[in-house]
Structure formats: C-alpha cells, structure tokens
PDB file of all heavy atoms in Angstrom:
ATOM      1  N   VAL J 149       0.860  -1.180   0.000  1.00 98.00           N
ATOM      2  CA  VAL J 149       0.000   0.000   0.000  1.00 98.00           C
ATOM      3  C   VAL J 149       0.894   1.226   0.000  1.00 98.00           C
ATOM      4  O   VAL J 149       1.645   1.464   0.951  1.00 98.00           O
ATOM      5  CB  VAL J 149      -0.940   0.014   1.219  1.00 98.00           C
ATOM      6  CG1 VAL J 149      -1.895   1.194   1.132  1.00 98.00           C
ATOM      7  CG2 VAL J 149      -1.722  -1.298   1.308  1.00 98.00           C
ATOM      8  N   LEU J 150       0.829   1.995  -1.076  1.00 98.00           N
ATOM      9  CA  LEU J 150       1.655   3.191  -1.234  1.00 98.00           C
ATOM     10  C   LEU J 150       0.875   4.383  -0.704  1.00 98.00           C
ATOM     11  O   LEU J 150      -0.141   4.779  -1.282  1.00 98.00           O
ATOM     12  CB  LEU J 150       2.005   3.387  -2.708  1.00 98.00           C
ATOM     13  CG  LEU J 150       2.725   2.199  -3.355  1.00 98.00           C
ATOM     14  CD1 LEU J 150       2.691   2.315  -4.868  1.00 98.00           C
ATOM     15  CD2 LEU J 150       4.142   2.098  -2.840  1.00 98.00           C
ATOM     16  N   CYS J 151       1.331   4.961   0.391  1.00 98.00           N
ATOM     17  CA  CYS J 151       0.586   6.006   1.089  1.00 98.00           C
ATOM     18  C   CYS J 151       1.278   7.362   0.961  1.00 98.00           C
ATOM     19  O   CYS J 151       2.493   7.462   1.146  1.00 98.00           O
ATOM     20  CB  CYS J 151       0.454   5.667   2.569  1.00 98.00           C
ATOM     21  SG  CYS J 151      -0.395   4.120   2.926  1.00 98.00           S
ATOM     22  N   GLY J 152       0.491   8.392   0.664  1.00 97.00           N
ATOM     23  CA  GLY J 152       0.959   9.759   0.794  1.00 97.00           C
ATOM     24  C   GLY J 152       0.650  10.254   2.199  1.00 97.00           C
ATOM     25  O   GLY J 152       0.129   9.528   3.035  1.00 97.00           O
ATOM     26  N   LYS J 153       0.930  11.530   2.455  1.00 96.00           N
ATOM     27  CA  LYS J 153       0.769  12.057   3.808  1.00 96.00           C
ATOM     28  C   LYS J 153      -0.633  12.593   4.096  1.00 96.00           C
ATOM     29  O   LYS J 153      -0.933  12.936   5.233  1.00 96.00           O
ATOM     30  CB  LYS J 153       1.792  13.148   4.079  1.00 96.00           C
ATOM     31  CG  LYS J 153       1.587  14.418   3.253  1.00 96.00           C
ATOM     32  CD  LYS J 153       2.626  15.467   3.635  1.00 96.00           C
ATOM     33  CE  LYS J 153       2.414  16.757   2.850  1.00 96.00           C
ATOM     34  NZ  LYS J 153       3.412  17.800   3.243  1.00 96.00           N
ATOM     35  N   GLY J 154      -1.505  12.655   3.063  1.00 96.00           N
ATOM     36  CA  GLY J 154      -2.836  13.219   3.248  1.00 96.00           C
ATOM     37  C   GLY J 154      -3.886  12.171   3.559  1.00 96.00           C
ATOM     38  O   GLY J 154      -3.578  11.030   3.921  1.00 96.00           O
ATOM     39  N   ASN J 155      -5.156  12.562   3.387  1.00 97.00           N
ATOM     40  CA  ASN J 155      -6.257  11.656   3.708  1.00 97.00           C
ATOM     41  C   ASN J 155      -6.303  10.440   2.790  1.00 97.00           C
ATOM     42  O   ASN J 155      -6.749   9.363   3.205  1.00 97.00           O
ATOM     43  CB  ASN J 155      -7.583  12.404   3.645  1.00 97.00           C
ATOM     44  CG  ASN J 155      -7.807  13.291   4.856  1.00 97.00           C
ATOM     45  OD1 ASN J 155      -7.090  13.174   5.856  1.00 97.00           O
ATOM     46  ND2 ASN J 155      -8.761  14.192   4.773  1.00 97.00           N
ATOM     47  N   ASN J 156      -5.845  10.590   1.551  1.00 97.00           N
ATOM     48  CA  ASN J 156      -5.792   9.433   0.660  1.00 97.00           C
ATOM     49  C   ASN J 156      -4.849   8.379   1.224  1.00 97.00           C
ATOM     50  O   ASN J 156      -5.151   7.183   1.218  1.00 97.00           O
ATOM     51  CB  ASN J 156      -5.346   9.886  -0.732  1.00 97.00           C
ATOM     52  CG  ASN J 156      -5.661   8.874  -1.819  1.00 97.00           C
ATOM     53  OD1 ASN J 156      -4.769   8.285  -2.403  1.00 97.00           O
ATOM     54  ND2 ASN J 156      -6.941   8.685  -2.107  1.00 97.00           N
ATOM     55  N   GLY J 157      -3.721   8.833   1.756  1.00 98.00           N
ATOM     56  CA  GLY J 157      -2.810   7.917   2.420  1.00 98.00           C
ATOM     57  C   GLY J 157      -3.424   7.308   3.664  1.00 98.00           C
ATOM     58  O   GLY J 157      -3.200   6.138   3.978  1.00 98.00           O
ATOM     59  N   GLY J 158      -4.229   8.113   4.391  1.00 98.00           N
ATOM     60  CA  GLY J 158      -4.934   7.581   5.554  1.00 98.00           C
ATOM     61  C   GLY J 158      -5.858   6.449   5.184  1.00 98.00           C
ATOM     62  O   GLY J 158      -5.934   5.426   5.886  1.00 98.00           O
ATOM     63  N   ASP J 159      -6.571   6.612   4.056  1.00 98.00           N
ATOM     64  CA  ASP J 159      -7.418   5.519   3.559  1.00 98.00           C
ATOM     65  C   ASP J 159      -6.586   4.260   3.335  1.00 98.00           C
ATOM     66  O   ASP J 159      -7.025   3.139   3.606  1.00 98.00           O
ATOM     67  CB  ASP J 159      -8.092   5.910   2.238  1.00 98.00           C
ATOM     68  CG  ASP J 159      -9.088   7.047   2.371  1.00 98.00           C
ATOM     69  OD1 ASP J 159      -9.505   7.356   3.505  1.00 98.00           O
ATOM     70  OD2 ASP J 159      -9.451   7.633   1.324  1.00 98.00           O
ATOM     71  N   GLY J 160      -5.359   4.452   2.828  1.00 98.00           N
ATOM     72  CA  GLY J 160      -4.478   3.318   2.577  1.00 98.00           C
ATOM     73  C   GLY J 160      -4.067   2.598   3.844  1.00 98.00           C
ATOM     74  O   GLY J 160      -4.043   1.358   3.888  1.00 98.00           O
ATOM     75  N   PHE J 161      -3.746   3.357   4.896  1.00 98.00           N
ATOM     76  CA  PHE J 161      -3.382   2.721   6.160  1.00 98.00           C
ATOM     77  C   PHE J 161      -4.548   1.917   6.727  1.00 98.00           C
ATOM     78  O   PHE J 161      -4.360   0.818   7.265  1.00 98.00           O
ATOM     79  CB  PHE J 161      -2.938   3.779   7.175  1.00 98.00           C
ATOM     80  CG  PHE J 161      -1.558   4.320   6.930  1.00 98.00           C
ATOM     81  CD1 PHE J 161      -1.363   5.663   6.641  1.00 98.00           C
ATOM     82  CD2 PHE J 161      -0.453   3.486   7.009  1.00 98.00           C
ATOM     83  CE1 PHE J 161      -0.092   6.167   6.417  1.00 98.00           C
ATOM     84  CE2 PHE J 161       0.822   3.980   6.785  1.00 98.00           C
ATOM     85  CZ  PHE J 161       1.005   5.331   6.484  1.00 98.00           C
ATOM     86  N   VAL J 162      -5.765   2.464   6.608  1.00 98.00           N
ATOM     87  CA  VAL J 162      -6.943   1.727   7.077  1.00 98.00           C
ATOM     88  C   VAL J 162      -7.125   0.449   6.266  1.00 98.00           C
ATOM     89  O   VAL J 162      -7.369  -0.630   6.821  1.00 98.00           O
ATOM     90  CB  VAL J 162      -8.208   2.598   6.996  1.00 98.00           C
ATOM     91  CG1 VAL J 162      -9.450   1.773   7.355  1.00 98.00           C
ATOM     92  CG2 VAL J 162      -8.102   3.801   7.921  1.00 98.00           C
ATOM     93  N   ALA J 163      -7.001   0.558   4.941  1.00 98.00           N
ATOM     94  CA  ALA J 163      -7.155  -0.617   4.085  1.00 98.00           C
ATOM     95  C   ALA J 163      -6.141  -1.694   4.457  1.00 98.00           C
ATOM     96  O   ALA J 163      -6.476  -2.883   4.530  1.00 98.00           O
ATOM     97  CB  ALA J 163      -6.995  -0.218   2.617  1.00 98.00           C
ATOM     98  N   ALA J 164      -4.897  -1.280   4.692  1.00 98.00           N
ATOM     99  CA  ALA J 164      -3.855  -2.241   5.063  1.00 98.00           C
ATOM    100  C   ALA J 164      -4.217  -2.967   6.354  1.00 98.00           C
ATOM    101  O   ALA J 164      -3.995  -4.184   6.487  1.00 98.00           O
ATOM    102  CB  ALA J 164      -2.526  -1.520   5.211  1.00 98.00           C
ATOM    103  N   ARG J 165      -4.764  -2.232   7.312  1.00 98.00           N
ATOM    104  CA  ARG J 165      -5.140  -2.857   8.591  1.00 98.00           C
ATOM    105  C   ARG J 165      -6.228  -3.910   8.387  1.00 98.00           C
ATOM    106  O   ARG J 165      -6.151  -5.021   8.932  1.00 98.00           O
ATOM    107  CB  ARG J 165      -5.614  -1.780   9.570  1.00 98.00           C
ATOM    108  CG  ARG J 165      -6.112  -2.303  10.902  1.00 98.00           C
ATOM    109  CD  ARG J 165      -6.163  -1.201  11.944  1.00 98.00           C
ATOM    110  NE  ARG J 165      -6.878  -0.031  11.491  1.00 98.00           N
ATOM    111  CZ  ARG J 165      -8.215   0.110  11.550  1.00 98.00           C
ATOM    112  NH1 ARG J 165      -8.959  -0.877  12.033  1.00 98.00           N
ATOM    113  NH2 ARG J 165      -8.788   1.218  11.136  1.00 98.00           N
ATOM    114  N   TYR J 166      -7.234  -3.591   7.568  1.00 98.00           N
ATOM    115  CA  TYR J 166      -8.293  -4.569   7.300  1.00 98.00           C
ATOM    116  C   TYR J 166      -7.740  -5.776   6.537  1.00 98.00           C
ATOM    117  O   TYR J 166      -8.141  -6.924   6.782  1.00 98.00           O
ATOM    118  CB  TYR J 166      -9.428  -3.927   6.510  1.00 98.00           C
ATOM    119  CG  TYR J 166     -10.423  -3.186   7.377  1.00 98.00           C
ATOM    120  CD1 TYR J 166     -10.475  -1.799   7.389  1.00 98.00           C
ATOM    121  CD2 TYR J 166     -11.326  -3.878   8.189  1.00 98.00           C
ATOM    122  CE1 TYR J 166     -11.385  -1.117   8.184  1.00 98.00           C
ATOM    123  CE2 TYR J 166     -12.232  -3.215   8.990  1.00 98.00           C
ATOM    124  CZ  TYR J 166     -12.261  -1.829   8.985  1.00 98.00           C
ATOM    125  OH  TYR J 166     -13.161  -1.165   9.783  1.00 98.00           O
ATOM    126  N   LEU J 167      -6.830  -5.534   5.616  1.00 97.00           N
ATOM    127  CA  LEU J 167      -6.241  -6.640   4.856  1.00 97.00           C
ATOM    128  C   LEU J 167      -5.405  -7.541   5.760  1.00 97.00           C
ATOM    129  O   LEU J 167      -5.448  -8.766   5.635  1.00 97.00           O
ATOM    130  CB  LEU J 167      -5.383  -6.090   3.723  1.00 97.00           C
ATOM    131  CG  LEU J 167      -6.148  -5.424   2.573  1.00 97.00           C
ATOM    132  CD1 LEU J 167      -5.193  -4.670   1.656  1.00 97.00           C
ATOM    133  CD2 LEU J 167      -6.947  -6.460   1.773  1.00 97.00           C
ATOM    134  N   LYS J 168      -4.651  -6.949   6.666  1.00 97.00           N
ATOM    135  CA  LYS J 168      -3.847  -7.731   7.610  1.00 97.00           C
ATOM    136  C   LYS J 168      -4.757  -8.588   8.485  1.00 97.00           C
ATOM    137  O   LYS J 168      -4.465  -9.768   8.739  1.00 97.00           O
ATOM    138  CB  LYS J 168      -2.994  -6.795   8.461  1.00 97.00           C
ATOM    139  CG  LYS J 168      -1.989  -7.483   9.365  1.00 97.00           C
ATOM    140  CD  LYS J 168      -1.091  -6.453  10.040  1.00 97.00           C
ATOM    141  CE  LYS J 168       0.028  -7.126  10.834  1.00 97.00           C
ATOM    142  NZ  LYS J 168      -0.477  -7.874  12.000  1.00 97.00           N
ATOM    143  N   GLU J 169      -5.867  -8.009   8.939  1.00 97.00           N
ATOM    144  CA  GLU J 169      -6.817  -8.768   9.753  1.00 97.00           C
ATOM    145  C   GLU J 169      -7.406  -9.945   8.980  1.00 97.00           C
ATOM    146  O   GLU J 169      -7.763 -10.968   9.566  1.00 97.00           O
ATOM    147  CB  GLU J 169      -7.938  -7.845  10.232  1.00 97.00           C
ATOM    148  CG  GLU J 169      -7.491  -6.811  11.258  1.00 97.00           C
ATOM    149  CD  GLU J 169      -8.581  -5.817  11.600  1.00 97.00           C
ATOM    150  OE1 GLU J 169      -9.684  -5.911  10.998  1.00 97.00           O
ATOM    151  OE2 GLU J 169      -8.352  -4.942  12.456  1.00 97.00           O
ATOM    152  N   ALA J 170      -7.496  -9.802   7.652  1.00 95.00           N
ATOM    153  CA  ALA J 170      -8.051 -10.861   6.809  1.00 95.00           C
ATOM    154  C   ALA J 170      -7.008 -11.901   6.412  1.00 95.00           C
ATOM    155  O   ALA J 170      -7.320 -12.837   5.669  1.00 95.00           O
ATOM    156  CB  ALA J 170      -8.685 -10.254   5.553  1.00 95.00           C
ATOM    157  N   GLY J 171      -5.767 -11.727   6.871  1.00 95.00           N
ATOM    158  CA  GLY J 171      -4.737 -12.722   6.591  1.00 95.00           C
ATOM    159  C   GLY J 171      -3.819 -12.395   5.439  1.00 95.00           C
ATOM    160  O   GLY J 171      -2.962 -13.218   5.073  1.00 95.00           O
ATOM    161  N   MET J 172      -3.940 -11.194   4.858  1.00 95.00           N
ATOM    162  CA  MET J 172      -3.060 -10.802   3.766  1.00 95.00           C
ATOM    163  C   MET J 172      -1.729 -10.308   4.326  1.00 95.00           C
ATOM    164  O   MET J 172      -1.643  -9.838   5.463  1.00 95.00           O
ATOM    165  CB  MET J 172      -3.705  -9.687   2.935  1.00 95.00           C
ATOM    166  CG  MET J 172      -5.084 -10.043   2.386  1.00 95.00           C
ATOM    167  SD  MET J 172      -5.014 -11.271   1.075  1.00 95.00           S
ATOM    168  CE  MET J 172      -4.437 -10.278  -0.283  1.00 95.00           C
ATOM    169  N   GLN J 173      -0.687 -10.391   3.507  1.00 96.00           N
ATOM    170  CA  GLN J 173       0.635  -9.885   3.872  1.00 96.00           C
ATOM    171  C   GLN J 173       0.740  -8.438   3.387  1.00 96.00           C
ATOM    172  O   GLN J 173       1.234  -8.161   2.295  1.00 96.00           O
ATOM    173  CB  GLN J 173       1.727 -10.754   3.253  1.00 96.00           C
ATOM    174  CG  GLN J 173       1.662 -12.214   3.659  1.00 96.00           C
ATOM    175  CD  GLN J 173       1.839 -12.403   5.155  1.00 96.00           C
ATOM    176  OE1 GLN J 173       2.735 -11.822   5.765  1.00 96.00           O
ATOM    177  NE2 GLN J 173       0.983 -13.216   5.760  1.00 96.00           N
ATOM    178  N   ALA J 174       0.245  -7.514   4.207  1.00 97.00           N
ATOM    179  CA  ALA J 174       0.180  -6.111   3.804  1.00 97.00           C
ATOM    180  C   ALA J 174       1.329  -5.320   4.405  1.00 97.00           C
ATOM    181  O   ALA J 174       1.657  -5.465   5.587  1.00 97.00           O
ATOM    182  CB  ALA J 174      -1.150  -5.498   4.234  1.00 97.00           C
ATOM    183  N   THR J 175       1.936  -4.470   3.575  1.00 98.00           N
ATOM    184  CA  THR J 175       2.990  -3.559   4.015  1.00 98.00           C
ATOM    185  C   THR J 175       2.682  -2.180   3.465  1.00 98.00           C
ATOM    186  O   THR J 175       2.276  -2.043   2.306  1.00 98.00           O
ATOM    187  CB  THR J 175       4.374  -3.999   3.496  1.00 98.00           C
ATOM    188  OG1 THR J 175       4.639  -5.333   3.933  1.00 98.00           O
ATOM    189  CG2 THR J 175       5.460  -3.074   4.006  1.00 98.00           C
ATOM    190  N   CYS J 176       2.855  -1.141   4.285  1.00 98.00           N
ATOM    191  CA  CYS J 176       2.650   0.229   3.841  1.00 98.00           C
ATOM    192  C   CYS J 176       3.990   0.894   3.536  1.00 98.00           C
ATOM    193  O   CYS J 176       4.945   0.737   4.303  1.00 98.00           O
ATOM    194  CB  CYS J 176       1.899   1.041   4.902  1.00 98.00           C
ATOM    195  SG  CYS J 176       0.178   0.559   5.127  1.00 98.00           S
ATOM    196  N   PHE J 177       4.050   1.608   2.430  1.00 98.00           N
ATOM    197  CA  PHE J 177       5.198   2.442   2.100  1.00 98.00           C
ATOM    198  C   PHE J 177       4.732   3.891   2.194  1.00 98.00           C
ATOM    199  O   PHE J 177       3.856   4.312   1.440  1.00 98.00           O
ATOM    200  CB  PHE J 177       5.692   2.178   0.675  1.00 98.00           C
ATOM    201  CG  PHE J 177       6.378   0.851   0.477  1.00 98.00           C
ATOM    202  CD1 PHE J 177       6.423  -0.110   1.468  1.00 98.00           C
ATOM    203  CD2 PHE J 177       6.984   0.570  -0.739  1.00 98.00           C
ATOM    204  CE1 PHE J 177       7.050  -1.331   1.267  1.00 98.00           C
ATOM    205  CE2 PHE J 177       7.623  -0.648  -0.958  1.00 98.00           C
ATOM    206  CZ  PHE J 177       7.659  -1.598   0.057  1.00 98.00           C
ATOM    207  N   LEU J 178       5.283   4.655   3.118  1.00 98.00           N
ATOM    208  CA  LEU J 178       4.953   6.077   3.243  1.00 98.00           C
ATOM    209  C   LEU J 178       5.908   6.856   2.353  1.00 98.00           C
ATOM    210  O   LEU J 178       7.111   6.894   2.601  1.00 98.00           O
ATOM    211  CB  LEU J 178       5.068   6.517   4.705  1.00 98.00           C
ATOM    212  CG  LEU J 178       4.771   7.992   5.005  1.00 98.00           C
ATOM    213  CD1 LEU J 178       3.373   8.380   4.551  1.00 98.00           C
ATOM    214  CD2 LEU J 178       4.947   8.271   6.497  1.00 98.00           C
ATOM    215  N   ILE J 179       5.358   7.467   1.304  1.00 98.00           N
ATOM    216  CA  ILE J 179       6.170   8.089   0.259  1.00 98.00           C
ATOM    217  C   ILE J 179       6.254   9.596   0.472  1.00 98.00           C
ATOM    218  O   ILE J 179       5.242  10.287   0.579  1.00 98.00           O
ATOM    219  CB  ILE J 179       5.582   7.807  -1.135  1.00 98.00           C
ATOM    220  CG1 ILE J 179       5.348   6.301  -1.347  1.00 98.00           C
ATOM    221  CG2 ILE J 179       6.480   8.375  -2.228  1.00 98.00           C
ATOM    222  CD1 ILE J 179       6.591   5.462  -1.341  1.00 98.00           C
ATOM    223  N   GLY J 180       7.492  10.097   0.520  1.00 96.00           N
ATOM    224  CA  GLY J 180       7.709  11.534   0.546  1.00 96.00           C
ATOM    225  C   GLY J 180       7.387  12.216   1.855  1.00 96.00           C
ATOM    226  O   GLY J 180       7.210  13.445   1.878  1.00 96.00           O
ATOM    227  N   ALA J 181       7.323  11.485   2.938  1.00 97.00           N
ATOM    228  CA  ALA J 181       6.975  12.077   4.231  1.00 97.00           C
ATOM    229  C   ALA J 181       7.446  11.168   5.359  1.00 97.00           C
ATOM    230  O   ALA J 181       7.708   9.983   5.158  1.00 97.00           O
ATOM    231  CB  ALA J 181       5.467  12.312   4.338  1.00 97.00           C
ATOM    232  N   GLU J 182       7.539  11.738   6.537  1.00 97.00           N
ATOM    233  CA  GLU J 182       7.789  10.997   7.763  1.00 97.00           C
ATOM    234  C   GLU J 182       6.472  10.814   8.501  1.00 97.00           C
ATOM    235  O   GLU J 182       5.540  11.609   8.328  1.00 97.00           O
ATOM    236  CB  GLU J 182       8.761  11.773   8.659  1.00 97.00           C
ATOM    237  CG  GLU J 182      10.175  11.869   8.139  1.00 97.00           C
ATOM    238  CD  GLU J 182      10.994  10.623   8.459  1.00 97.00           C
ATOM    239  OE1 GLU J 182      10.451   9.700   9.111  1.00 97.00           O
ATOM    240  OE2 GLU J 182      12.167  10.592   8.062  1.00 97.00           O
ATOM    241  N   PRO J 183       6.352   9.794   9.344  1.00 98.00           N
ATOM    242  CA  PRO J 183       5.131   9.648  10.138  1.00 98.00           C
ATOM    243  C   PRO J 183       4.774  10.911  10.927  1.00 98.00           C
ATOM    244  O   PRO J 183       3.596  11.229  11.104  1.00 98.00           O
ATOM    245  CB  PRO J 183       5.458   8.472  11.065  1.00 98.00           C
ATOM    246  CG  PRO J 183       6.421   7.650  10.274  1.00 98.00           C
ATOM    247  CD  PRO J 183       7.259   8.643   9.530  1.00 98.00           C
ATOM    248  N   ALA J 184       5.788  11.653  11.351  1.00 97.00           N
ATOM    249  CA  ALA J 184       5.531  12.885  12.109  1.00 97.00           C
ATOM    250  C   ALA J 184       4.854  13.951  11.264  1.00 97.00           C
ATOM    251  O   ALA J 184       4.260  14.899  11.811  1.00 97.00           O
ATOM    252  CB  ALA J 184       6.840  13.428  12.667  1.00 97.00           C
ATOM    253  N   ASN J 185       4.916  13.820   9.935  1.00 95.00           N
ATOM    254  CA  ASN J 185       4.257  14.783   9.054  1.00 95.00           C
ATOM    255  C   ASN J 185       2.766  14.539   8.915  1.00 95.00           C
ATOM    256  O   ASN J 185       2.039  15.394   8.387  1.00 95.00           O
ATOM    257  CB  ASN J 185       4.886  14.740   7.647  1.00 95.00           C
ATOM    258  CG  ASN J 185       6.368  15.048   7.635  1.00 95.00           C
ATOM    259  OD1 ASN J 185       7.139  14.367   6.974  1.00 95.00           O
ATOM    260  ND2 ASN J 185       6.780  16.076   8.367  1.00 95.00           N
ATOM    261  N   LEU J 186       2.291  13.375   9.362  1.00 98.00           N
ATOM    262  CA  LEU J 186       0.880  13.046   9.225  1.00 98.00           C
ATOM    263  C   LEU J 186       0.064  13.819  10.252  1.00 98.00           C
ATOM    264  O   LEU J 186       0.487  14.007  11.401  1.00 98.00           O
ATOM    265  CB  LEU J 186       0.665  11.545   9.420  1.00 98.00           C
ATOM    266  CG  LEU J 186       1.438  10.623   8.478  1.00 98.00           C
ATOM    267  CD1 LEU J 186       1.186   9.162   8.844  1.00 98.00           C
ATOM    268  CD2 LEU J 186       1.058  10.875   7.029  1.00 98.00           C
ATOM    269  N   THR J 187      -1.114  14.249   9.845  1.00 97.00           N
ATOM    270  CA  THR J 187      -1.987  15.003  10.737  1.00 97.00           C
ATOM    271  C   THR J 187      -3.417  14.478  10.647  1.00 97.00           C
ATOM    272  O   THR J 187      -3.762  13.730   9.733  1.00 97.00           O
ATOM    273  CB  THR J 187      -1.991  16.501  10.379  1.00 97.00           C
ATOM    274  OG1 THR J 187      -2.457  16.668   9.030  1.00 97.00           O
ATOM    275  CG2 THR J 187      -0.600  17.107  10.510  1.00 97.00           C
ATOM    276  N   GLY J 188      -4.245  14.887  11.610  1.00 97.00           N
ATOM    277  CA  GLY J 188      -5.667  14.583  11.564  1.00 97.00           C
ATOM    278  C   GLY J 188      -5.977  13.108  11.478  1.00 97.00           C
ATOM    279  O   GLY J 188      -5.354  12.272  12.143  1.00 97.00           O
TER     280      GLY J 188
END
C-alpha cells in the first residue's frame, strides 16, 4: 500500500489494517513524508 501524507494515504493505512486482519501480507510504504508529518 503506497501512502501519501494526506487523507488518501490515511485511507491506505486503514485498508492495510483490514487486509492484515483478513490474513493478507500487507505492508505500507509512506512516500515523501515521515510519520511525524501526518496530521488529523
């Protein structure tokens, strides 16, 4: 899951969590930002 720092990336993190719960091997790549840059 390729995530940006905005809400679209937030959707990606949520999707990854649901996929992991379903047994998928999900990994998030945060592109062009640090976790500290995420807001809201």
Side-chain angles (χ1 to χ4, degrees):
V149 184
L150 303 164
C151 300
K153 67 178 182 179
N155 284 347
N156 198 247
D159 294 344
F161 284 118
V162 174
R165 176 163 51 84
Y166 276 108
L167 290 168
K168 187 173 186 293
E169 291 174 358
M172 304 289 284
Q173 302 298 314
T175 303
C176 291
F177 289 7
L178 179 58
I179 308 296
E182 291 278 359
N185 301 135
L186 302 177
T187 60

